[in-house]
Every structure is written in structure tokens, then in C-alpha cells.
Amino acid sequence: MKKDTTTVRELSRDEARLAAMLKALGNPVRFRMMKYLAERPMCITGDMVVFTALAQSTVSQHLKVLREAGLIEGEIEGPATCYCIHAEGLQFLKDRIQQWLPECCQPEADDREANCCQETS
Amino acid sequence: MKKDTTTVRELSRDEARLAAMLKALGNPVRFRMMKYLAERPMCITGDMVVFTALAQSTVSQHLKVLREAGLIEGEIEGPATCYCIHAEGLQFLKDRIQQWLPECCQPEADDREANCCQETS
DNA sequence: TTTTTATATCGTAAAAATACGATAAAACAG
DNA sequence: CTGTTTTATCGTATTTTTACGATATAAAAA
């Protein structure tokens, strides 16, 4: 008998990357940092410190999380570090979210009464 | 002089909803639960307990987080509770992510050399 | 009614995330 | 070289999240 791998299967490489991105964006501070960074071509750590009104070490930590999730990239620019959106990473996020859970959300006109969850709203 | 509201502005209602969804999905257990639920029209809490191999109370807690984030909906079905994907919520997530950070990720052929962050990969 | 089944909630322990100050490192100015 | 600027990392305190067992609730079965 074939083992059911649909339930216990681990996340694929891409799914793990998507999950990591979602985790990074799950924090409200980092969410706002991404939004802030998206509104300009780049910024340095100090700008983020002013924007978030958090300690410099805290901001540096958050930037590290975003960078390791592949959402931003930093480049040392003299004494400062210049951050910008990682375009490829963000595109990956958008694509994957769009493709994610494709089986659902289709208002197919099949035996809906067999399901217990109708849209009530 | 007009105050700069672009930096300190709070999140809008929709942005807050998106952030809450991302936070809910940021947990790997809940991420997999969503994936599991998307593969079938619905399931009950007990199915999730088997799937995740976690304590029933823990699963119930995670389901609550997903429900409060508007990603799933639960309906009491006799002694059990039947959960399914909240189609509207998931569509909202997809739409918002797609529209999010629209200013970036465009490979416009303008003064790129002025920026410090070139795509190096 | 009593028992069983399925779930939600409560209280709490353990783990993880978050925030801070202090310190280290690296580039540049004087 | 010395001092300044900017950032990353370290150690640690606080907060939040996660997970569990115990208990409460509600529907259905016996």
C-alpha cells in the first residue's frame, strides 16, 4: 500500500523560502520598513532608525532578518550600509502567493451543498 | 511647512489586515495547515490534529489565529467544527500582495548608476 | 439520563522574538 | 595616527509565542 505523502510531506525548497518571507513580513515593524524602503530607491540604516524610532541595534537586527529572507539587499557604501528592495525576491513572493493554494477560491458550480462551509458573508 | 506624513504614517485598515494575515502565515505550522486545508474542501479540527501531530489544544489555538486573520472560517457541524478556506480573505491577500510595493521591481531604464544597490546576482 | 465524541478555553511552562545598551569594526577626515 | 561617523554584533532583560494538560461545553449516542 502506498504511503500517503500528501499530509506529512515537508515543505519544498520554494515553499520554505516563501514561509521564511512571510515570517519576516509577519512582524509589523519589518512590514513598515519594507513599505518605507519601497517608496524610495534606497536608504541607509540611519534613515530606518529615524523612521522607526527604535534603537540602532534593533533596527540593524530587523534589517538582517529582511536581508536573510531575501527581501532586501545591503551594500556597504563607505562607512554606511545602503539597503534597497531585492527585486527578484519580491517578485518571487508575489508569484508564489499568486500561485499558492490554486485549488481553492474557484467558485466552481459543483456539488457545493456537500460541503459544510458555505460563504455566509 | 507641511509635515512629512509619508514616514510616520500608521498603517491603513487594509494594510493592517494584510499585516495580520502575514503574521498568521508567518508561523510554519499554520503555513502548512493552510496548505493542507487548501487541498480539500474542508476538514475538522481532528483532521488537523492528526496532520500536525500536535496537541488538540494547540491545534485549536492555531485555528483560532487563522480564523481571526480571516484566512479560514469555521462552522459548528454537530459536535465537530468544520473549517474551510475563507475565499474572500485569501483573494484579498493575493490582491493586496500583488498591489503591494508597486513602485519598485520595475526595471525602468533610468539613472540606475545613481543608486547604490545594483542587482549583483 | 448517562456516556461518548469533538472541540474550545484556561492556566502555565518552555521557547522564541524583540528591544536595549555596550562594544567592536571599518571607512573616512583632520 | 587620532577622532568621528556609521553600522554590526554581543549579552541580556522583557515580552510574546508556542505547546501542553486539565477542564468546560455542546451535540449526539446509548
Side-chain angles (χ1 to χ4, degrees):
Chain A
M1 183 185 167
K2 216 165 97 178
K3 195 173 160 195
D4 180 10
T5 57
T6 62
T7 52
V8 216
R9 187 179 67 229
E10 286 302 307
L11 295 179
S12 73
R13 191 180 186 77
D14 276 0
E15 283 169 342
R17 188 184 179 192
L18 176 57
M21 284 183 169
L22 292 172
K23 181 168 184 172
L25 289 172
N27 178 284
V29 171
R30 290 192 291 266
F31 181 87
R32 294 177 68 234
M33 285 171 79
M34 280 298 285
K35 207 161 130 31
Y36 174 82
L37 190 50
E39 288 169 356
R40 53 217 88 219
M42 77 276 168
C43 80
I44 63 173
T45 307
D47 298 331
M48 281 291 187
V49 173
V50 173
F51 171 61
T52 60
L54 291 171
Q56 178 267 319
S57 57
T58 304
V59 171
S60 196
Q61 223 170 219
H62 280 304
L63 286 169
K64 185 179 183 179
V65 172
L66 288 174
R67 184 163 40 78
E68 289 181 346
L71 289 165
I72 66 174
E73 48 187 347
E75 195 180 343
I76 295 170
E77 197 82 2
T81 306
C82 183
Y83 286 98
C84 65
I85 296 283
H86 186 219
E88 187 273 327
L90 200 59
Q91 197 55 55
F92 172 86
L93 172 71
K94 290 185 176 185
D95 291 347
R96 283 287 154 175
I97 282 284
Q98 207 57 34
Q99 294 167 28
W100 204 45
L101 319 182
E103 304 91 303
C104 55
C105 307
Q106 264 82 332
E108 343 167 26
D110 56 344
D111 53 330
R112 218 15 117 116
E113 74 284 349
N115 294 359
C116 63
C117 282
Q118 304 91 337
E119 289 287 332
T120 51
S121 59
Chain B
M1 185 184 166
K2 214 166 99 178
K3 197 171 157 196
D4 179 11
T5 57
T6 61
T7 53
V8 215
R9 188 180 66 230
E10 286 302 305
L11 295 180
S12 73
R13 192 179 183 79
D14 276 1
E15 283 169 343
R17 188 182 179 192
L18 176 57
M21 284 183 170
L22 292 172
K23 181 166 182 172
L25 289 172
N27 178 285
V29 171
R30 291 191 290 265
F31 181 88
R32 293 177 68 233
M33 284 172 80
M34 280 296 288
K35 207 161 129 32
Y36 173 82
L37 190 50
E39 289 169 357
R40 55 216 88 217
M42 78 275 170
C43 80
I44 62 173
T45 308
D47 298 331
M48 281 291 187
V49 174
V50 173
F51 171 62
T52 60
L54 290 172
Q56 178 266 319
S57 58
T58 304
V59 171
S60 195
Q61 222 170 219
H62 280 304
L63 286 169
K64 185 180 185 178
V65 173
L66 288 174
R67 183 162 42 77
E68 289 181 345
L71 289 165
I72 67 174
E73 48 188 347
E75 194 180 343
I76 295 171
E77 198 82 4
T81 305
C82 183
Y83 286 99
C84 66
I85 297 283
H86 186 220
E88 187 273 328
L90 201 59
Q91 197 56 55
F92 171 87
L93 172 71
K94 289 185 176 185
D95 291 346
R96 283 286 153 175
I97 283 285
Q98 207 59 32
Q99 294 167 27
W100 204 47
L101 318 183
E103 305 91 306
C104 54
C105 307
Q106 264 79 333
E108 344 166 25
D110 57 346
D111 52 331
R112 218 17 117 120
E113 73 283 349
N115 294 0
C116 62
C117 283
Q118 304 89 340
E119 288 289 332
T120 51
S121 60

